[in-house]
Amino acid sequence: MGSEGNRKTTPAVITHAFCGRSAAALAPEGPSSPEAQAALRQFSLERMMGYGLHHADAIELRGRVTAGEAWQAVATDLAAICLAPPEAPAAPASAATYANRLYRASALLRMSQMMMLAEDDERREIFARAADVYREAAILTDDREQLVVETGEGPLAGWFYRSQNGASLGCAVVIGGVEGWAMDFGALGLELARRGVDALVLDGPGQGESRMVHHHYLTKSWVRSYRGLFDALCARTGGAPLAFVGNSMGGAVAMRLASQDPRIVACCDNGGPRAPRGSPGGAPANTSFFRKMMAHCGDVSEEAAAEIWRTVNPMAPDASVTCPLLVVHGGLDPLVSTDDARSVFDWASSTDKQMVIYSDGDHCVYNHSDDKHNLISDWVSHRLAARLT
């Protein structure tokens, strides 16, 4: 009787309205808000999809912001719609459908705080909500588990994707950069796991939950944080070979770490600069971007933050990368020039090294995500398998 009553109250025709495309078409000059202009400039459709947004959600977000709505408000509204779409009464949601809605909502919530430069209670609450939604989805998909590792310098949080091929070839640690953190790189974690690699997609010092929940900031002792992490991974995996994949500024971290810890037997730098912004050899510091870099370091001065970031220099005089190396670069990357990427590649002493350039690639090659993920995952699995033979 109850289900029949529900069917009677469910409309025969349900419309899920989208206004992003039409709103953008009616606003050819774009938004007047400087923040909205910056958000649309920094977060292309491809980059947002690379961080987990689905195509329709990214189009709707960009369209409504172009028409004058606020970035955070639109992203938050779309997250709520993902969790309770108008078409939901038409059919009971399966576990797969609900997990999809949760992952989409989490990505939108994470995107809603991307333009926040400073860290405050509001931002931490938004990020915590995004993480809660993500955890709920992970329980349903059962393809990843949260891992919090005590390093001796503070806890580091991430998502562990166990090899889907039974025995593991080894473990790959994946990190993002100043923006784009562990939950944003789930697609790469899944591709590595499909190839028999255990993958830990990590929030490093100053990133994501490691920072906002566990207050583990980037300091001059950041290398010790990773060494503590590697100790824990080696204990967990029985000393399996270790690869490290860094995206954006994380590429510089990867290169620097590979020169500091011999347990890294394969290193991938995707979109990493030759030096952090605002440091010697780096690009001139951009005010808003450097404020995001400062947030990684906690409550410190600009000078102290710059000094901390200088320790991430992948081409420091005492650095020498000799393990197998893959450098991935977008030929149209507005942040890292091909000359800079090539200089990092040429500088490495590795006898086994490759550089792959996507001629029209944007920063971190988000506009060729499938090819990029396949390349990195195949390369990592091949290099780790070679260590077992």
Side-chain angles (χ1 to χ4, degrees):
M1 182 72 175
S3 60
E4 184 176 343
N6 289 339
R7 284 197 297 271
K8 288 180 178 179
T9 58
T10 299
V13 177
I14 299 173
T15 300
H16 188 156
F18 296 88
C19 64
R21 290 181 186 274
S22 58
L26 295 173
E29 296 182 0
S32 58
S33 161
E35 179 183 275
Q37 292 172 3
L40 293 171
R41 184 173 60 251
Q42 294 172 30
F43 294 99
S44 65
L45 175 67
E46 294 85 358
R47 186 180 182 189
M48 289 194 290
M49 291 178 67
Y51 283 0
L53 267 71
H54 286 224
H55 182 266
D57 299 327
I59 289 289
E60 190 73 359
L61 173 57
R62 288 184 57 84
R64 288 172 58 179
V65 170
T66 298
E69 294 186 60
W71 179 268
Q72 182 181 340
V74 176
T76 302
D77 179 55
L78 291 175
I81 294 172
C82 277
L83 293 176
E87 65 269 25
S94 63
T97 294
Y98 191 51
N100 171 272
R101 292 173 181 171
L102 290 165
Y103 280 131
R104 290 172 66 181
S106 177
L108 283 160
L109 288 169
R110 299 195 305 272
M111 190 56 62
S112 76
Q113 53 85 50
M114 283 292 188
M115 297 309 294
M116 295 181 173
L117 302 181
E119 191 165 319
D120 56 20
D121 288 343
E122 181 187 14
R123 188 179 189 187
R124 283 188 286 268
E125 288 172 6
I126 292 171
F127 203 84
R129 171 62 175 152
D132 287 342
V133 172
Y134 193 93
R135 276 188 284 272
E136 190 176 353
I139 292 172
L140 294 173
T141 57
D142 195 29
D143 55 7
R144 68 203 76 180
E145 63 175 306
Q146 188 163 40
L147 198 63
V148 179
V149 177
E150 180 53 64
T151 68
E153 298 292 319
L156 290 178
W159 290 90
F160 191 79
Y161 298 73
R162 192 171 302 282
S163 163
Q164 296 181 9
N165 295 349
S168 172
L169 298 172
C171 184
V173 177
V174 178
I175 64 168
V178 174
E179 300 166 318
W181 299 324
M183 289 181 282
D184 301 317
F185 289 95
L188 181 53
L190 286 171
E191 291 302 329
L192 287 162
R194 287 172 181 147
R195 290 159 176 80
V197 176
D198 289 335
L200 176 60
V201 185
L202 182 75
D203 282 327
Q207 297 179 329
E209 288 190 276
S210 295
R211 167 176 126 204
M212 296 196 190
V213 176
H214 302 287
H215 308 292
H216 189 158
Y217 295 100
L218 185 73
T219 68
K220 289 184 179 180
S221 62
W222 65 269
V223 172
R224 290 203 297 269
S225 297
Y226 281 103
R227 284 175 176 160
L229 172 75
F230 298 160
D231 290 343
L233 286 178
C234 287
R236 182 185 180 97
T237 63
L242 182 67
F244 201 99
V245 180
N247 299 278
S248 190
M249 195 72 79
V253 172
M255 294 283 288
R256 181 64 172 158
L257 274 177
S259 74
Q260 299 290 304
D261 198 309
R263 289 174 290 186
I264 298 177
V265 302
C267 174
C268 174
D269 168 6
N270 173 35
R274 61 175 292 162
R277 287 171 176 260
S279 66
N286 172 282
T287 301
S288 62
F289 190 77
F290 189 70
R291 285 183 63 189
K292 292 183 178 183
M293 293 175 68
M294 286 183 62
H296 278 237
C297 305
D299 187 15
V300 300
S301 66
E302 291 185 12
E303 294 76 13
E307 188 65 26
I308 290 169
W309 276 104
R310 289 188 189 104
T311 66
V312 180
N313 188 349
M315 297 173 63
D318 63 339
S320 177
V321 175
T322 58
C323 68
L325 173 68
L326 173 66
V327 175
V328 181
H329 177 67
L332 298 182
D333 187 336
L335 302 179
V336 180
S337 70
T338 298
D339 286 345
D340 279 354
R342 184 59 191 261
S343 69
V344 172
F345 175 74
D346 291 340
W347 167 85
S349 301
S350 308
T351 55
D352 174 8
K353 63 179 181 178
Q354 287 81 36
M355 181 173 182
V356 177
I357 302 173
Y358 293 84
S359 64
D360 69 338
D362 55 20
H363 184 55
C364 291
V365 200
Y366 291 115
N367 56 329
H368 292 285
S369 284
D370 284 349
D371 289 337
K372 173 188 67 176
H373 291 158
N374 287 333
L375 167 67
I376 292 173
S377 300
D378 287 344
W379 184 88
V380 167
S381 63
H382 183 270
R383 295 313 185 275
L384 290 179
R387 299 288 298 191
L388 297 178
T389 58

